[in-house]
Amino acid sequence: MSESISILGSMIKDHCKIKKLINDLEEKTKQDFDSMSKSFNKFEWELEKHVFAEEKAIFTSYNPEDVTEGYKMLPELTKQHNFIINTLNNWREDVRKKRMISEVYSFKEFITRHKDFEEEKVYPKLDEVLSEEEKRHIVAKINEIVHK
């Protein structure tokens, strides 16, 4: 019997990478601008790919039979993604103007809550309701986007 495909497992790997990058960014904000800027660029790139992967690979493949139940989590996820993208945009502007970014710790706390929401509510639900073929397709897309 073949092993079941898991969207959760695939995205946990990416969450670990993002956590390491935000920890590095937080550390670099205590150092010099150039170190912080390099760390931010890497963090921003990986986090934007992650959000893109979720919204394109997952949302476009997820068509729940019970729309009311199935789509409960998506507005919350979209709201959180919007906050993430807005924060990155603000930080990018700071970096462009050669300013140190601030409030990394509070954003890290938000990212942790977002990760927990996805790992406890979103991905297990998708793994439960999608067919093996749908999950295989989504995981392939995720790998194409975030694990390159």
PDB file of all heavy atoms in Angstrom, residues 39-74:
ATOM      1  N   SER A  39      19.339  39.753   5.242  1.00  0.00           N
ATOM      2  CA  SER A  39      18.466  38.795   5.927  1.00  0.00           C
ATOM      3  C   SER A  39      17.001  39.047   5.560  1.00  0.00           C
ATOM      4  O   SER A  39      16.243  38.110   5.305  1.00  0.00           O
ATOM      5  CB  SER A  39      18.674  38.918   7.438  1.00  0.00           C
ATOM      6  OG  SER A  39      17.874  37.990   8.107  1.00  0.00           O
ATOM      7  N   PHE A  40      16.611  40.315   5.523  1.00  0.00           N
ATOM      8  CA  PHE A  40      15.235  40.660   5.157  1.00  0.00           C
ATOM      9  C   PHE A  40      14.918  40.196   3.738  1.00  0.00           C
ATOM     10  O   PHE A  40      13.852  39.616   3.492  1.00  0.00           O
ATOM     11  CB  PHE A  40      14.977  42.172   5.271  1.00  0.00           C
ATOM     12  CG  PHE A  40      13.675  42.571   4.638  1.00  0.00           C
ATOM     13  CD1 PHE A  40      12.469  42.232   5.238  1.00  0.00           C
ATOM     14  CD2 PHE A  40      13.646  43.222   3.423  1.00  0.00           C
ATOM     15  CE1 PHE A  40      11.249  42.543   4.633  1.00  0.00           C
ATOM     16  CE2 PHE A  40      12.436  43.547   2.820  1.00  0.00           C
ATOM     17  CZ  PHE A  40      11.238  43.210   3.424  1.00  0.00           C
ATOM     18  N   ASN A  41      15.822  40.443   2.811  1.00  0.00           N
ATOM     19  CA  ASN A  41      15.563  40.070   1.416  1.00  0.00           C
ATOM     20  C   ASN A  41      15.309  38.567   1.279  1.00  0.00           C
ATOM     21  O   ASN A  41      14.403  38.148   0.556  1.00  0.00           O
ATOM     22  CB  ASN A  41      16.711  40.514   0.512  1.00  0.00           C
ATOM     23  CG  ASN A  41      16.733  42.018   0.334  1.00  0.00           C
ATOM     24  OD1 ASN A  41      15.709  42.685   0.439  1.00  0.00           O
ATOM     25  ND2 ASN A  41      17.907  42.559   0.097  1.00  0.00           N
ATOM     26  N   LYS A  42      16.089  37.780   1.973  1.00  0.00           N
ATOM     27  CA  LYS A  42      15.922  36.328   1.919  1.00  0.00           C
ATOM     28  C   LYS A  42      14.602  35.913   2.578  1.00  0.00           C
ATOM     29  O   LYS A  42      13.845  35.100   2.039  1.00  0.00           O
ATOM     30  CB  LYS A  42      17.103  35.658   2.628  1.00  0.00           C
ATOM     31  CG  LYS A  42      17.167  34.187   2.430  1.00  0.00           C
ATOM     32  CD  LYS A  42      18.478  33.615   2.917  1.00  0.00           C
ATOM     33  CE  LYS A  42      18.525  32.149   2.566  1.00  0.00           C
ATOM     34  NZ  LYS A  42      19.769  31.519   2.919  1.00  0.00           N
ATOM     35  N   PHE A  43      14.317  36.486   3.741  1.00  0.00           N
ATOM     36  CA  PHE A  43      13.069  36.194   4.458  1.00  0.00           C
ATOM     37  C   PHE A  43      11.853  36.584   3.614  1.00  0.00           C
ATOM     38  O   PHE A  43      10.915  35.806   3.453  1.00  0.00           O
ATOM     39  CB  PHE A  43      13.048  36.943   5.800  1.00  0.00           C
ATOM     40  CG  PHE A  43      11.730  36.904   6.511  1.00  0.00           C
ATOM     41  CD1 PHE A  43      11.256  35.724   7.070  1.00  0.00           C
ATOM     42  CD2 PHE A  43      10.955  38.051   6.626  1.00  0.00           C
ATOM     43  CE1 PHE A  43      10.037  35.681   7.728  1.00  0.00           C
ATOM     44  CE2 PHE A  43       9.732  38.016   7.279  1.00  0.00           C
ATOM     45  CZ  PHE A  43       9.276  36.829   7.830  1.00  0.00           C
ATOM     46  N   GLU A  44      11.888  37.786   3.065  1.00  0.00           N
ATOM     47  CA  GLU A  44      10.768  38.287   2.259  1.00  0.00           C
ATOM     48  C   GLU A  44      10.508  37.360   1.070  1.00  0.00           C
ATOM     49  O   GLU A  44       9.362  36.993   0.798  1.00  0.00           O
ATOM     50  CB  GLU A  44      11.092  39.699   1.766  1.00  0.00           C
ATOM     51  CG  GLU A  44      10.035  40.255   0.822  1.00  0.00           C
ATOM     52  CD  GLU A  44      10.461  41.543   0.164  1.00  0.00           C
ATOM     53  OE1 GLU A  44      11.652  41.690  -0.188  1.00  0.00           O
ATOM     54  OE2 GLU A  44       9.584  42.398  -0.004  1.00  0.00           O
ATOM     55  N   TRP A  45      11.565  36.961   0.371  1.00  0.00           N
ATOM     56  CA  TRP A  45      11.438  36.094  -0.800  1.00  0.00           C
ATOM     57  C   TRP A  45      10.766  34.774  -0.434  1.00  0.00           C
ATOM     58  O   TRP A  45       9.818  34.333  -1.088  1.00  0.00           O
ATOM     59  CB  TRP A  45      12.809  35.876  -1.412  1.00  0.00           C
ATOM     60  CG  TRP A  45      12.835  34.934  -2.571  1.00  0.00           C
ATOM     61  CD1 TRP A  45      13.443  33.722  -2.633  1.00  0.00           C
ATOM     62  CD2 TRP A  45      12.213  35.116  -3.850  1.00  0.00           C
ATOM     63  NE1 TRP A  45      13.246  33.132  -3.861  1.00  0.00           N
ATOM     64  CE2 TRP A  45      12.491  33.973  -4.634  1.00  0.00           C
ATOM     65  CE3 TRP A  45      11.442  36.130  -4.410  1.00  0.00           C
ATOM     66  CZ2 TRP A  45      12.035  33.814  -5.935  1.00  0.00           C
ATOM     67  CZ3 TRP A  45      10.976  35.969  -5.710  1.00  0.00           C
ATOM     68  CH2 TRP A  45      11.277  34.832  -6.461  1.00  0.00           C
ATOM     69  N   GLU A  46      11.247  34.144   0.629  1.00  0.00           N
ATOM     70  CA  GLU A  46      10.702  32.849   1.029  1.00  0.00           C
ATOM     71  C   GLU A  46       9.260  32.963   1.522  1.00  0.00           C
ATOM     72  O   GLU A  46       8.426  32.108   1.225  1.00  0.00           O
ATOM     73  CB  GLU A  46      11.579  32.189   2.090  1.00  0.00           C
ATOM     74  CG  GLU A  46      12.947  31.789   1.590  1.00  0.00           C
ATOM     75  CD  GLU A  46      12.930  30.780   0.436  1.00  0.00           C
ATOM     76  OE1 GLU A  46      11.979  29.968   0.333  1.00  0.00           O
ATOM     77  OE2 GLU A  46      13.872  30.814  -0.370  1.00  0.00           O
ATOM     78  N   LEU A  47       8.963  34.012   2.270  1.00  0.00           N
ATOM     79  CA  LEU A  47       7.604  34.180   2.793  1.00  0.00           C
ATOM     80  C   LEU A  47       6.621  34.514   1.670  1.00  0.00           C
ATOM     81  O   LEU A  47       5.505  34.000   1.643  1.00  0.00           O
ATOM     82  CB  LEU A  47       7.572  35.257   3.888  1.00  0.00           C
ATOM     83  CG  LEU A  47       6.270  35.384   4.670  1.00  0.00           C
ATOM     84  CD1 LEU A  47       5.803  34.048   5.253  1.00  0.00           C
ATOM     85  CD2 LEU A  47       6.429  36.417   5.786  1.00  0.00           C
ATOM     86  N   GLU A  48       7.032  35.336   0.734  1.00  0.00           N
ATOM     87  CA  GLU A  48       6.150  35.641  -0.400  1.00  0.00           C
ATOM     88  C   GLU A  48       5.879  34.392  -1.246  1.00  0.00           C
ATOM     89  O   GLU A  48       4.761  34.189  -1.705  1.00  0.00           O
ATOM     90  CB  GLU A  48       6.731  36.766  -1.259  1.00  0.00           C
ATOM     91  CG  GLU A  48       6.564  38.127  -0.611  1.00  0.00           C
ATOM     92  CD  GLU A  48       7.088  39.270  -1.463  1.00  0.00           C
ATOM     93  OE1 GLU A  48       7.966  39.048  -2.314  1.00  0.00           O
ATOM     94  OE2 GLU A  48       6.619  40.401  -1.236  1.00  0.00           O
ATOM     95  N   LYS A  49       6.907  33.557  -1.454  1.00  0.00           N
ATOM     96  CA  LYS A  49       6.697  32.301  -2.195  1.00  0.00           C
ATOM     97  C   LYS A  49       5.725  31.398  -1.443  1.00  0.00           C
ATOM     98  O   LYS A  49       4.873  30.749  -2.058  1.00  0.00           O
ATOM     99  CB  LYS A  49       8.030  31.560  -2.394  1.00  0.00           C
ATOM    100  CG  LYS A  49       8.925  32.154  -3.436  1.00  0.00           C
ATOM    101  CD  LYS A  49      10.045  31.225  -3.860  1.00  0.00           C
ATOM    102  CE  LYS A  49      10.863  30.684  -2.742  1.00  0.00           C
ATOM    103  NZ  LYS A  49      11.985  29.831  -3.162  1.00  0.00           N
ATOM    104  N   HIS A  50       5.853  31.379  -0.120  1.00  0.00           N
ATOM    105  CA  HIS A  50       4.981  30.543   0.709  1.00  0.00           C
ATOM    106  C   HIS A  50       3.517  30.975   0.561  1.00  0.00           C
ATOM    107  O   HIS A  50       2.641  30.142   0.325  1.00  0.00           O
ATOM    108  CB  HIS A  50       5.435  30.644   2.169  1.00  0.00           C
ATOM    109  CG  HIS A  50       4.606  29.849   3.111  1.00  0.00           C
ATOM    110  ND1 HIS A  50       4.817  28.493   3.323  1.00  0.00           N
ATOM    111  CD2 HIS A  50       3.570  30.198   3.909  1.00  0.00           C
ATOM    112  CE1 HIS A  50       3.933  28.058   4.209  1.00  0.00           C
ATOM    113  NE2 HIS A  50       3.171  29.061   4.579  1.00  0.00           N
ATOM    114  N   VAL A  51       3.269  32.267   0.691  1.00  0.00           N
ATOM    115  CA  VAL A  51       1.896  32.786   0.561  1.00  0.00           C
ATOM    116  C   VAL A  51       1.377  32.517  -0.852  1.00  0.00           C
ATOM    117  O   VAL A  51       0.239  32.071  -1.028  1.00  0.00           O
ATOM    118  CB  VAL A  51       1.842  34.292   0.913  1.00  0.00           C
ATOM    119  CG1 VAL A  51       0.489  34.895   0.540  1.00  0.00           C
ATOM    120  CG2 VAL A  51       2.125  34.501   2.403  1.00  0.00           C
ATOM    121  N   PHE A  52       2.211  32.751  -1.846  1.00  0.00           N
ATOM    122  CA  PHE A  52       1.823  32.493  -3.231  1.00  0.00           C
ATOM    123  C   PHE A  52       1.459  31.020  -3.421  1.00  0.00           C
ATOM    124  O   PHE A  52       0.426  30.693  -4.026  1.00  0.00           O
ATOM    125  CB  PHE A  52       2.967  32.888  -4.175  1.00  0.00           C
ATOM    126  CG  PHE A  52       2.676  32.615  -5.620  1.00  0.00           C
ATOM    127  CD1 PHE A  52       1.918  33.501  -6.369  1.00  0.00           C
ATOM    128  CD2 PHE A  52       3.158  31.464  -6.236  1.00  0.00           C
ATOM    129  CE1 PHE A  52       1.637  33.241  -7.711  1.00  0.00           C
ATOM    130  CE2 PHE A  52       2.885  31.203  -7.573  1.00  0.00           C
ATOM    131  CZ  PHE A  52       2.124  32.094  -8.310  1.00  0.00           C
ATOM    132  N   ALA A  53       2.285  30.139  -2.873  1.00  0.00           N
ATOM    133  CA  ALA A  53       2.029  28.700  -3.010  1.00  0.00           C
ATOM    134  C   ALA A  53       0.690  28.334  -2.399  1.00  0.00           C
ATOM    135  O   ALA A  53      -0.087  27.573  -2.989  1.00  0.00           O
ATOM    136  CB  ALA A  53       3.151  27.898  -2.345  1.00  0.00           C
ATOM    137  N   GLU A  54       0.421  28.873  -1.219  1.00  0.00           N
ATOM    138  CA  GLU A  54      -0.862  28.567  -0.580  1.00  0.00           C
ATOM    139  C   GLU A  54      -2.029  29.077  -1.410  1.00  0.00           C
ATOM    140  O   GLU A  54      -2.998  28.364  -1.641  1.00  0.00           O
ATOM    141  CB  GLU A  54      -0.919  29.206   0.814  1.00  0.00           C
ATOM    142  CG  GLU A  54      -0.067  28.495   1.799  1.00  0.00           C
ATOM    143  CD  GLU A  54      -0.033  29.173   3.145  1.00  0.00           C
ATOM    144  OE1 GLU A  54      -0.463  30.332   3.284  1.00  0.00           O
ATOM    145  OE2 GLU A  54       0.439  28.515   4.066  1.00  0.00           O
ATOM    146  N   GLU A  55      -1.928  30.307  -1.851  1.00  0.00           N
ATOM    147  CA  GLU A  55      -3.070  30.902  -2.539  1.00  0.00           C
ATOM    148  C   GLU A  55      -3.263  30.352  -3.944  1.00  0.00           C
ATOM    149  O   GLU A  55      -4.391  30.220  -4.392  1.00  0.00           O
ATOM    150  CB  GLU A  55      -2.943  32.421  -2.532  1.00  0.00           C
ATOM    151  CG  GLU A  55      -3.051  32.942  -1.106  1.00  0.00           C
ATOM    152  CD  GLU A  55      -3.219  34.437  -0.999  1.00  0.00           C
ATOM    153  OE1 GLU A  55      -3.094  35.143  -2.008  1.00  0.00           O
ATOM    154  OE2 GLU A  55      -3.499  34.890   0.129  1.00  0.00           O
ATOM    155  N   LYS A  56      -2.203  30.013  -4.615  1.00  0.00           N
ATOM    156  CA  LYS A  56      -2.332  29.502  -5.982  1.00  0.00           C
ATOM    157  C   LYS A  56      -2.476  27.985  -6.027  1.00  0.00           C
ATOM    158  O   LYS A  56      -3.381  27.463  -6.643  1.00  0.00           O
ATOM    159  CB  LYS A  56      -1.141  29.945  -6.850  1.00  0.00           C
ATOM    160  CG  LYS A  56      -1.028  31.436  -6.996  1.00  0.00           C
ATOM    161  CD  LYS A  56      -2.267  32.042  -7.626  1.00  0.00           C
ATOM    162  CE  LYS A  56      -2.137  33.542  -7.747  1.00  0.00           C
ATOM    163  NZ  LYS A  56      -3.351  34.280  -7.509  1.00  0.00           N
ATOM    164  N   ALA A  57      -1.574  27.296  -5.371  1.00  0.00           N
ATOM    165  CA  ALA A  57      -1.592  25.835  -5.452  1.00  0.00           C
ATOM    166  C   ALA A  57      -2.759  25.237  -4.679  1.00  0.00           C
ATOM    167  O   ALA A  57      -3.404  24.310  -5.140  1.00  0.00           O
ATOM    168  CB  ALA A  57      -0.275  25.264  -4.927  1.00  0.00           C
ATOM    169  N   ILE A  58      -3.024  25.792  -3.510  1.00  0.00           N
ATOM    170  CA  ILE A  58      -4.035  25.179  -2.653  1.00  0.00           C
ATOM    171  C   ILE A  58      -5.429  25.729  -2.941  1.00  0.00           C
ATOM    172  O   ILE A  58      -6.351  24.982  -3.238  1.00  0.00           O
ATOM    173  CB  ILE A  58      -3.666  25.355  -1.165  1.00  0.00           C
ATOM    174  CG1 ILE A  58      -2.359  24.611  -0.876  1.00  0.00           C
ATOM    175  CG2 ILE A  58      -4.794  24.848  -0.267  1.00  0.00           C
ATOM    176  CD1 ILE A  58      -1.785  24.843   0.500  1.00  0.00           C
ATOM    177  N   PHE A  59      -5.588  27.040  -2.865  1.00  0.00           N
ATOM    178  CA  PHE A  59      -6.927  27.615  -3.000  1.00  0.00           C
ATOM    179  C   PHE A  59      -7.562  27.311  -4.345  1.00  0.00           C
ATOM    180  O   PHE A  59      -8.761  27.116  -4.436  1.00  0.00           O
ATOM    181  CB  PHE A  59      -6.905  29.125  -2.781  1.00  0.00           C
ATOM    182  CG  PHE A  59      -6.568  29.544  -1.381  1.00  0.00           C
ATOM    183  CD1 PHE A  59      -6.465  30.874  -1.063  1.00  0.00           C
ATOM    184  CD2 PHE A  59      -6.355  28.616  -0.360  1.00  0.00           C
ATOM    185  CE1 PHE A  59      -6.153  31.285   0.224  1.00  0.00           C
ATOM    186  CE2 PHE A  59      -6.042  29.013   0.927  1.00  0.00           C
ATOM    187  CZ  PHE A  59      -5.937  30.345   1.219  1.00  0.00           C
ATOM    188  N   THR A  60      -6.754  27.277  -5.396  1.00  0.00           N
ATOM    189  CA  THR A  60      -7.338  27.026  -6.718  1.00  0.00           C
ATOM    190  C   THR A  60      -7.736  25.569  -6.897  1.00  0.00           C
ATOM    191  O   THR A  60      -8.509  25.250  -7.781  1.00  0.00           O
ATOM    192  CB  THR A  60      -6.369  27.446  -7.845  1.00  0.00           C
ATOM    193  OG1 THR A  60      -5.133  26.747  -7.671  1.00  0.00           O
ATOM    194  CG2 THR A  60      -6.113  28.939  -7.830  1.00  0.00           C
ATOM    195  N   SER A  61      -7.219  24.681  -6.050  1.00  0.00           N
ATOM    196  CA  SER A  61      -7.553  23.255  -6.160  1.00  0.00           C
ATOM    197  C   SER A  61      -8.640  22.829  -5.182  1.00  0.00           C
ATOM    198  O   SER A  61      -9.176  21.738  -5.290  1.00  0.00           O
ATOM    199  CB  SER A  61      -6.311  22.400  -5.882  1.00  0.00           C
ATOM    200  OG  SER A  61      -5.291  22.730  -6.775  1.00  0.00           O
ATOM    201  N   TYR A  62      -8.942  23.676  -4.229  1.00  0.00           N
ATOM    202  CA  TYR A  62      -9.862  23.302  -3.150  1.00  0.00           C
ATOM    203  C   TYR A  62     -11.280  23.741  -3.488  1.00  0.00           C
ATOM    204  O   TYR A  62     -11.584  24.931  -3.524  1.00  0.00           O
ATOM    205  CB  TYR A  62      -9.390  23.946  -1.846  1.00  0.00           C
ATOM    206  CG  TYR A  62     -10.261  23.659  -0.642  1.00  0.00           C
ATOM    207  CD1 TYR A  62     -10.629  22.372  -0.303  1.00  0.00           C
ATOM    208  CD2 TYR A  62     -10.697  24.696   0.169  1.00  0.00           C
ATOM    209  CE1 TYR A  62     -11.405  22.114   0.813  1.00  0.00           C
ATOM    210  CE2 TYR A  62     -11.475  24.457   1.290  1.00  0.00           C
ATOM    211  CZ  TYR A  62     -11.828  23.162   1.611  1.00  0.00           C
ATOM    212  OH  TYR A  62     -12.601  22.917   2.710  1.00  0.00           O
ATOM    213  N   ASN A  63     -12.137  22.764  -3.783  1.00  0.00           N
ATOM    214  CA  ASN A  63     -13.543  23.042  -4.085  1.00  0.00           C
ATOM    215  C   ASN A  63     -14.414  22.166  -3.191  1.00  0.00           C
ATOM    216  O   ASN A  63     -14.825  21.078  -3.585  1.00  0.00           O
ATOM    217  CB  ASN A  63     -13.845  22.733  -5.558  1.00  0.00           C
ATOM    218  CG  ASN A  63     -13.062  23.623  -6.488  1.00  0.00           C
ATOM    219  OD1 ASN A  63     -13.135  24.841  -6.389  1.00  0.00           O
ATOM    220  ND2 ASN A  63     -12.283  23.022  -7.373  1.00  0.00           N
ATOM    221  N   PRO A  64     -14.669  22.636  -1.976  1.00  0.00           N
ATOM    222  CA  PRO A  64     -15.401  21.791  -1.024  1.00  0.00           C
ATOM    223  C   PRO A  64     -16.842  21.539  -1.448  1.00  0.00           C
ATOM    224  O   PRO A  64     -17.487  22.408  -2.028  1.00  0.00           O
ATOM    225  CB  PRO A  64     -15.354  22.599   0.275  1.00  0.00           C
ATOM    226  CG  PRO A  64     -15.187  24.008  -0.163  1.00  0.00           C
ATOM    227  CD  PRO A  64     -14.388  23.963  -1.436  1.00  0.00           C
ATOM    228  N   GLU A  65     -17.321  20.323  -1.136  1.00  0.00           N
ATOM    229  CA  GLU A  65     -18.720  19.991  -1.420  1.00  0.00           C
ATOM    230  C   GLU A  65     -19.640  20.830  -0.542  1.00  0.00           C
ATOM    231  O   GLU A  65     -20.637  21.353  -0.997  1.00  0.00           O
ATOM    232  CB  GLU A  65     -18.968  18.500  -1.170  1.00  0.00           C
ATOM    233  CG  GLU A  65     -18.372  17.621  -2.238  1.00  0.00           C
ATOM    234  CD  GLU A  65     -18.552  16.150  -1.942  1.00  0.00           C
ATOM    235  OE1 GLU A  65     -19.528  15.779  -1.255  1.00  0.00           O
ATOM    236  OE2 GLU A  65     -17.707  15.366  -2.402  1.00  0.00           O
ATOM    237  N   ASP A  66     -19.286  20.936   0.743  1.00  0.00           N
ATOM    238  CA  ASP A  66     -20.054  21.754   1.667  1.00  0.00           C
ATOM    239  C   ASP A  66     -19.373  23.123   1.730  1.00  0.00           C
ATOM    240  O   ASP A  66     -18.440  23.349   2.491  1.00  0.00           O
ATOM    241  CB  ASP A  66     -20.089  21.107   3.065  1.00  0.00           C
ATOM    242  CG  ASP A  66     -20.861  21.939   4.079  1.00  0.00           C
ATOM    243  OD1 ASP A  66     -21.257  23.078   3.748  1.00  0.00           O
ATOM    244  OD2 ASP A  66     -21.061  21.451   5.195  1.00  0.00           O
ATOM    245  N   VAL A  67     -19.843  24.039   0.881  1.00  0.00           N
ATOM    246  CA  VAL A  67     -19.197  25.337   0.716  1.00  0.00           C
ATOM    247  C   VAL A  67     -19.156  26.128   2.028  1.00  0.00           C
ATOM    248  O   VAL A  67     -18.141  26.712   2.379  1.00  0.00           O
ATOM    249  CB  VAL A  67     -19.898  26.155  -0.399  1.00  0.00           C
ATOM    250  CG1 VAL A  67     -19.311  27.540  -0.517  1.00  0.00           C
ATOM    251  CG2 VAL A  67     -19.777  25.412  -1.722  1.00  0.00           C
ATOM    252  N   THR A  68     -20.253  26.120   2.775  1.00  0.00           N
ATOM    253  CA  THR A  68     -20.305  26.881   4.032  1.00  0.00           C
ATOM    254  C   THR A  68     -19.237  26.403   4.999  1.00  0.00           C
ATOM    255  O   THR A  68     -18.461  27.202   5.526  1.00  0.00           O
ATOM    256  CB  THR A  68     -21.696  26.733   4.702  1.00  0.00           C
ATOM    257  OG1 THR A  68     -22.695  26.994   3.722  1.00  0.00           O
ATOM    258  CG2 THR A  68     -21.849  27.706   5.835  1.00  0.00           C
ATOM    259  N   GLU A  69     -19.169  25.110   5.199  1.00  0.00           N
ATOM    260  CA  GLU A  69     -18.174  24.543   6.112  1.00  0.00           C
ATOM    261  C   GLU A  69     -16.773  24.677   5.525  1.00  0.00           C
ATOM    262  O   GLU A  69     -15.841  25.087   6.206  1.00  0.00           O
ATOM    263  CB  GLU A  69     -18.502  23.056   6.367  1.00  0.00           C
ATOM    264  CG  GLU A  69     -17.553  22.372   7.319  1.00  0.00           C
ATOM    265  CD  GLU A  69     -17.547  22.961   8.724  1.00  0.00           C
ATOM    266  OE1 GLU A  69     -18.594  23.471   9.178  1.00  0.00           O
ATOM    267  OE2 GLU A  69     -16.480  22.922   9.357  1.00  0.00           O
ATOM    268  N   GLY A  70     -16.647  24.356   4.267  1.00  0.00           N
ATOM    269  CA  GLY A  70     -15.339  24.319   3.625  1.00  0.00           C
ATOM    270  C   GLY A  70     -14.657  25.661   3.509  1.00  0.00           C
ATOM    271  O   GLY A  70     -13.442  25.746   3.594  1.00  0.00           O
ATOM    272  N   TYR A  71     -15.440  26.706   3.324  1.00  0.00           N
ATOM    273  CA  TYR A  71     -14.832  28.011   3.102  1.00  0.00           C
ATOM    274  C   TYR A  71     -14.729  28.857   4.372  1.00  0.00           C
ATOM    275  O   TYR A  71     -14.298  29.991   4.309  1.00  0.00           O
ATOM    276  CB  TYR A  71     -15.588  28.781   2.013  1.00  0.00           C
ATOM    277  CG  TYR A  71     -15.256  28.289   0.630  1.00  0.00           C
ATOM    278  CD1 TYR A  71     -16.227  27.758  -0.200  1.00  0.00           C
ATOM    279  CD2 TYR A  71     -13.954  28.342   0.149  1.00  0.00           C
ATOM    280  CE1 TYR A  71     -15.915  27.294  -1.476  1.00  0.00           C
ATOM    281  CE2 TYR A  71     -13.623  27.886  -1.113  1.00  0.00           C
ATOM    282  CZ  TYR A  71     -14.611  27.367  -1.929  1.00  0.00           C
ATOM    283  OH  TYR A  71     -14.291  26.912  -3.168  1.00  0.00           O
ATOM    284  N   LYS A  72     -15.089  28.298   5.520  1.00  0.00           N
ATOM    285  CA  LYS A  72     -14.989  29.047   6.770  1.00  0.00           C
ATOM    286  C   LYS A  72     -13.575  29.545   7.034  1.00  0.00           C
ATOM    287  O   LYS A  72     -13.368  30.646   7.493  1.00  0.00           O
ATOM    288  CB  LYS A  72     -15.438  28.171   7.950  1.00  0.00           C
ATOM    289  CG  LYS A  72     -16.790  28.544   8.495  1.00  0.00           C
ATOM    290  CD  LYS A  72     -16.991  27.861   9.821  1.00  0.00           C
ATOM    291  CE  LYS A  72     -18.180  26.933   9.715  1.00  0.00           C
ATOM    292  NZ  LYS A  72     -18.374  26.119  10.902  1.00  0.00           N
ATOM    293  N   MET A  73     -12.597  28.688   6.751  1.00  0.00           N
ATOM    294  CA  MET A  73     -11.213  29.022   7.083  1.00  0.00           C
ATOM    295  C   MET A  73     -10.563  29.965   6.070  1.00  0.00           C
ATOM    296  O   MET A  73      -9.631  30.680   6.399  1.00  0.00           O
ATOM    297  CB  MET A  73     -10.382  27.752   7.194  1.00  0.00           C
ATOM    298  CG  MET A  73     -10.299  26.965   5.916  1.00  0.00           C
ATOM    299  SD  MET A  73      -9.580  25.354   6.227  1.00  0.00           S
ATOM    300  CE  MET A  73      -9.847  24.575   4.649  1.00  0.00           C
ATOM    301  N   LEU A  74     -11.073  30.007   4.841  1.00  0.00           N
ATOM    302  CA  LEU A  74     -10.394  30.780   3.808  1.00  0.00           C
ATOM    303  C   LEU A  74     -10.422  32.295   4.026  1.00  0.00           C
ATOM    304  O   LEU A  74      -9.392  32.939   3.817  1.00  0.00           O
ATOM    305  CB  LEU A  74     -10.927  30.418   2.424  1.00  0.00           C
ATOM    306  CG  LEU A  74     -10.667  28.972   1.992  1.00  0.00           C
ATOM    307  CD1 LEU A  74     -11.078  28.757   0.556  1.00  0.00           C
ATOM    308  CD2 LEU A  74      -9.220  28.553   2.195  1.00  0.00           C
TER     309      LEU A  74
END
